[in-house]
Amino acid sequence: MKKLLCLSFVLICAVGFAQNTEDEDKKNWGTLTGGFESIVQWYNDDTGLGKFAEDEHVRSNNYLKLDYNYGNWFAGIQVESYAPMPLLNYSPKLDDSGIAQYYAMYKTKKLEVTAGYFYEQFGSGLILRGWENRPLGINNSFRGGRVKYEPSNALSFTGMYARQRDGFEVSEGEIFGFNSEIDLTNVFKLETSSLSAGFSYVGRKEDIPEEFQNTGFDEMTNAFSARLDYSGNSFYSGIEFITKSKDAVVNTQRYIANFVEPGNGLLLNFGYSQKGLGIDVTLRRLENMSFFSEREASGNVFNENIMNYLPGLTKQHDYLLTNIYVYQAQPTISVPDPSLLKYGEIGGQIDVFYNFKKGTPLGGKYGTKIAVNAAYWAGLRGDFNFTDRKAEIDYFGFGTKYFSEYSLEVRKKWNRKWQSIFYYVNQYYNERYIVDKIGVVNSNIGVVETTYRINSRRSVRVELQHLWTPDDMKNWAGATLEFNVNPRLSFYLNDIYNYGNDDPDDQIHYYNVGGSYARGATRIGLNYGRQRGGLICVGGVCRFVPESTGLTVNITTAF
């Protein structure tokens, strides 16, 4: 609690200084900006979920970010406090308070030099990405130095050396990176289209444990990426290939003796769009493409030390029941026994959007929008020799099916006040390969959502959902009621009920009630209810959360 009070004092001082800075603007002392976020949760015992077994019932995550700019100079810090403990299932390495990140930067039109912590991404992130996602407990920023140089509008270069953030410390592995972006549009004198290329290198250097010396891999692991992007008229496309040198295979944070493999990945995206129609296709193949700043971090459940960005490429759902069986990428080689051999993943998804025009039979008076998505993912087909620890993997071979999904969404506006969404999803979910459980889940999910605008400021939204499956936990039903009093104030109530569970004791309601109030750049949210255990995903990246019940207060502000 003392740490929370200290953090609050720092915030008050920061706000006060910011105000003073506004008063002194005429003296051109620079600009101070910042943001503050606090999430406090109180976990209580629950007759349905059982007694809360952890030591601390009250926990909080708090973030204060300050950025200062004077001319070409920039500097900033991020203070974080996880007192008295981090929220449930966040990394125990975060159990502290203090300055978590800092940086100083000099920036001109062509040159940018940064020292301290920074975020970076090369290409799509297949080879390197450092980013922050607080709901997932991810902050994979880099601490070191970075230089960006743009000699012309067609050329851009980045060089960096760093270690990766690991709680309030940094990882053991050293990271070397170089990236180039080249605009080829003028070279080929393209007038109605654009063409660009990119090349990247990332090296990770880490000491090898004594017992694994001279087993076929080096301290330095090298990865190279090449990509090409084209867009013209209504068509666009992009391709990226990455290769990674031989490295030890590490599963669930343990070296696999005498098992050394290289890695590679291929990403292809293309699409077409015109007024009222959009088509987007993404295909990807990943083979042994997990890349961590410390080898033994591979398989950690807190997403720590991840150097690259490998999201699950499926439709991002908004509804509670469509997010129970979510797919997460399977880039890792894993050979625990002959019945469970995984070498990576191969598959893709396609999205089609179409807008029926107003005045047509299906468009009606206000038009009708439909969205179709199909996704299919499988393991790479291959074979593994347990005697000599050698894997043979087909480059375009489809092995065991991991996941498939087909969905149809229809958005219809009935009149000026009333609009609806009809949503259907069919899923196949191989729990054995995705979440290391036994079984396959085949499910169908239906959702009806409708919103009624009472007046220009007030509205009511209702959702009804149902999940049908003969597998796993069987059928679910769900509903949401949301009342927007005005653009600043809203309340909601939702519940999902596993009424089909074979065990009557597990036929549980996961209910939540809450609301939020926003004014300017400040928002306060309040929620009480039950958290369903399982994977929580944001942007295709997931973390596991256990079941819990409690009160959550969320405060965010910016200045």
Side-chain angles (χ1 to χ4, degrees):
M1 185 57 70
K2 289 181 178 178
K3 292 177 177 178
L4 271 176
L5 292 174
C6 290
L7 185 64
S8 301
F9 177 75
V10 171
L11 173 63
I12 293 169
C13 292
V15 173
F17 183 59
Q19 291 172 343
N20 289 337
T21 301
E22 291 176 3
D23 296 337
E24 302 292 346
D25 269 348
K26 295 179 180 178
K27 298 180 180 179
N28 191 26
W29 284 10
T31 304
L32 178 68
T33 59
F36 176 74
E37 179 176 12
S38 178
I39 308 168
V40 181
Q41 290 191 332
W42 170 63
Y43 302 98
N44 63 288
D45 299 337
D46 187 313
T47 54
L49 302 184
K51 185 179 176 62
F52 183 71
E54 303 286 336
D55 292 333
E56 294 287 350
H57 284 250
V58 178
R59 304 178 179 209
S60 71
N61 292 4
N62 307 276
Y63 312 87
L64 170 65
K65 190 173 188 301
L66 300 173
D67 294 289
Y68 176 73
N69 168 228
Y70 182 80
N72 293 328
W73 293 91
F74 300 80
I77 60 170
Q78 180 158 302
V79 180
E80 299 178 11
S81 175
Y82 303 86
M85 286 186 69
L87 301 183
L88 210 56
N89 220 41
Y90 277 69
S91 171
K93 295 177 182 176
L94 295 172
D95 189 12
D96 202 347
S97 297
I99 297 176
Q101 297 184 188
Y102 51 84
Y103 75 95
M105 180 171 69
Y106 177 78
K107 183 177 181 180
T108 65
K109 185 178 180 180
K110 292 186 176 182
L111 179 66
E112 178 182 314
V113 181
T114 304
Y117 287 86
F118 57 87
Y119 301 100
E120 185 55 83
Q121 177 171 329
F122 293 169
S124 68
L126 269 178
I127 189 170
L128 181 87
R129 187 188 187 199
W131 83 103
E132 181 183 35
N133 189 308
R134 294 172 183 172
L136 294 178
I138 294 177
N139 192 319
N140 294 330
S141 61
F142 304 104
R143 190 186 76 182
R146 179 185 63 184
V147 178
K148 290 176 175 281
Y149 180 56
E150 296 184 15
S152 71
N153 292 332
L155 295 173
S156 174
F157 304 103
T158 300
M160 59 173 276
Y161 165 77
R163 294 176 188 262
Q164 193 170 34
R165 182 177 168 185
D166 187 17
F168 279 83
E169 305 294 334
V170 291
S171 62
E172 294 292 331
E174 299 174 84
I175 301 169
F176 305 83
F178 173 78
N179 183 60
S180 61
E181 301 289 345
I182 307 169
D183 189 341
L184 301 171
T185 305
N186 292 331
V187 174
F188 290 95
K189 299 180 180 179
L190 303 176
E191 297 182 354
T192 60
S193 58
S194 64
L195 181 67
S196 64
F199 303 93
S200 305
Y201 163 78
V202 174
R204 186 273 325 274
K205 184 180 180 183
E206 185 190 13
D207 293 340
I208 300 174
E210 186 176 350
E211 62 269 35
F212 296 105
Q213 297 279 350
N214 303 315
T215 55
F217 66 100
D218 300 324
E219 289 185 340
M220 178 71 85
T221 305
N222 300 301
F224 300 88
S225 165
R227 51 196 178 273
L228 193 66
D229 295 288
Y230 169 83
S231 66
N233 298 320
S234 300
F235 178 77
Y236 61 89
S237 65
I239 185 170
E240 181 173 8
F241 177 75
I242 175 174
T243 181
K244 187 177 70 168
S245 62
K246 282 187 175 181
D247 195 16
V249 174
V250 180
N251 293 156
T252 57
Q253 302 180 265
R254 293 192 306 174
Y255 281 78
I256 308 300
N258 301 315
F259 192 13
V260 176
E261 284 289 323
N264 61 76
L266 177 64
L267 177 67
L268 178 63
N269 174 242
F270 56 92
Y272 173 84
S273 65
Q274 65 175 27
K275 187 176 182 181
L277 172 65
I279 301 173
D280 183 84
V281 179
T282 305
L283 307 172
R284 189 174 69 185
R285 179 192 184 277
L286 299 175
E287 176 186 331
N288 191 26
M289 270 313 301
S290 294
F291 204 8
F292 293 83
S293 54
E294 291 183 2
R295 293 184 179 90
E296 289 185 86
S298 179
N300 79 86
V301 299
F302 302 113
N303 293 311
E304 293 175 313
N305 305 134
I306 297 176
M307 291 171 56
N308 54 352
Y309 179 60
L310 306 174
L313 296 180
T314 62
K315 186 176 180 65
Q316 304 301 302
H317 298 293
D318 297 325
Y319 301 103
L320 294 171
L321 295 186
T322 54
N323 278 311
I324 291 180
Y325 300 107
V326 288
Y327 181 71
Q328 57 179 342
Q330 303 294 314
T332 304
I333 283 187
S334 174
V335 289
D337 63 67
S339 69
L340 185 62
L341 304 177
K342 300 165 65 176
Y343 309 107
E345 67 167 25
I346 185 169
Q349 68 166 336
I350 178 172
D351 285 293
V352 178
F353 307 92
Y354 187 77
N355 186 12
F356 291 97
K357 295 180 179 178
K358 300 176 182 178
T360 60
L362 292 178
K365 184 177 180 180
Y366 296 95
T368 302
K369 297 178 180 179
I370 65 169
V372 178
N373 173 271
Y376 184 94
W377 292 96
L380 289 170
R381 187 172 60 207
D383 192 18
F384 182 70
N385 188 319
F386 280 86
T387 302
D388 59 12
R389 301 277 181 176
K390 186 67 179 176
E392 295 183 1
I393 304 168
D394 293 346
Y395 196 86
F396 289 117
F398 281 70
T400 302
K401 181 180 178 181
Y402 289 170
F403 178 84
S404 69
E405 183 177 83
Y406 308 96
S407 66
L408 170 64
E409 178 186 284
V410 179
R411 292 176 178 264
K412 179 64 181 174
K413 184 175 181 179
W414 306 101
N415 56 45
R416 295 178 61 187
K417 293 187 174 182
W418 183 25
Q419 57 185 357
S420 300
I421 299 174
F422 303 93
Y423 194 37
Y424 166 74
V425 183
N426 172 273
Q427 290 181 329
Y428 171 93
Y429 192 78
N430 194 328
E431 291 191 296
R432 173 74 165 141
Y433 285 82
I434 299 175
V435 290
D436 200 20
K437 292 173 62 178
I438 296 175
V440 167
V441 180
N442 290 281
S443 64
N444 293 283
I445 307 163
V447 179
V448 176
E449 175 186 337
T450 190
T451 302
Y452 181 76
R453 297 180 64 86
I454 300 170
N455 55 40
S456 61
R457 298 168 58 84
R458 190 166 300 176
S459 65
V460 177
R461 188 174 70 88
V462 178
E463 290 176 11
L464 297 175
Q465 311 175 36
H466 195 274
L467 184 153
W468 294 268
T469 178
D471 307 310
D472 197 30
M473 295 183 288
K474 308 297 174 59
N475 290 355
W476 292 73
T480 297
L481 174 63
E482 181 179 292
F483 179 45
N484 296 298
V485 181
N486 55 52
R488 292 178 177 173
L489 180 64
S490 65
F491 300 95
Y492 63 87
L493 169 67
N494 64 50
D495 182 33
I496 56 174
Y497 177 37
N498 187 197
Y499 75 93
N501 201 304
D502 292 335
D503 186 346
D505 291 337
D506 288 334
Q507 294 177 358
I508 297 173
H509 285 273
Y510 294 91
Y511 57 84
N512 280 276
V513 58
S516 65
Y517 178 77
R519 186 178 180 84
T522 301
R523 180 183 181 277
I524 300 174
L526 190 68
N527 177 85
Y528 180 81
R530 287 174 174 165
Q531 168 69 56
R532 178 186 60 81
L535 292 175
I536 298 295
C537 303
V538 179
V541 180
C542 308
R543 80 176 178 101
F544 178 81
V545 297
E547 290 184 329
S548 63
T549 305
L551 177 70
T552 302
V553 180
N554 183 207
I555 302 172
T556 60
T557 188
F559 49 89

